[in-house]
Amino acid sequence: MVEFQIGDTAFRAGKLSAFEQLDVVVALAPVLSGAADAIVRVFKSGGGLEGGVKALLDSEPSAVLEPLTKALAAMPRQDRMTVIMTALSKVEWARKGQQVGWARLTDPTGSHIMLNDVADSLPLMIQIVWRVLQPSLASFSAAPPAPGN
């Protein structure tokens, strides 16, 4: 479980299953290949995924943003929705006020966002999706397990 805060709202997210990770990686394949040069530089930086992306964005934002933007624009809508809704379906948010506690961010089918603050804000939605997907995507850059493990 990953817990994080964006603004004054606390979120927590469960892990994606292996099959969900597969669906997301397949959907993101064109995006990842479109930004292959930038991705290679991120992993060669030695700062880990988040540190590498930050360093690359700080030094050469167009090296990341231009290929990613082009690849995302070419991505079929259904693939974009698969990535976003798969990630958001793993998230709960901390309710405040009269109904204190944790609530699912999506309906039980994972097809509708229940928190208007997220449904109405693409930047907030992308931040949440990134926080959910980051552990899964980072694990693809790790060394493969030793035989027998």
Side-chain angles (χ1 to χ4, degrees):
M1 178 88 42
V2 176
E3 293 192 20
F4 54 95
Q5 181 114 6
I6 300 176
D8 61 354
T9 305
F11 297 91
R12 65 183 184 190
K15 282 183 62 175
L16 300 178
S17 72
F19 289 110
E20 289 167 328
Q21 290 178 44
L22 177 62
D23 289 343
V24 167
V25 169
V26 167
L28 286 175
V31 175
L32 299 175
S33 66
D37 291 339
I39 292 167
V40 167
R41 283 189 277 181
V42 164
F43 288 115
K44 284 185 175 179
S45 73
L49 183 61
E50 191 164 355
V53 169
K54 183 178 179 342
L56 190 57
L57 284 172
D58 288 346
S59 65
E60 299 177 70
S62 64
V64 175
L65 298 177
E66 185 176 333
L68 282 178
T69 302
K70 286 180 181 177
L72 284 169
M75 188 180 202
R77 182 181 191 283
Q78 185 57 45
D79 288 351
R80 289 191 308 265
M81 294 304 292
T82 294
V83 171
I84 291 168
M85 295 310 291
T86 298
L88 295 180
S89 72
K90 297 296 181 180
V91 178
E92 295 179 329
W93 61 284
R95 291 195 290 194
K96 298 175 182 154
Q98 293 181 357
Q99 297 181 347
V100 176
W102 291 96
R104 288 180 53 113
L105 189 55
T106 63
D107 67 353
T109 66
S111 61
H112 180 74
I113 300 169
M114 304 300 288
L115 180 60
N116 287 340
D117 290 354
V118 174
D120 295 340
S121 173
L122 181 61
L124 178 57
M125 184 185 305
I126 296 302
Q127 287 180 64
I128 295 168
V129 169
W130 172 248
R131 296 287 183 98
V132 175
L133 296 181
Q134 188 178 0
S136 295
L137 295 177
S139 67
F140 281 93
S141 68
N149 289 342

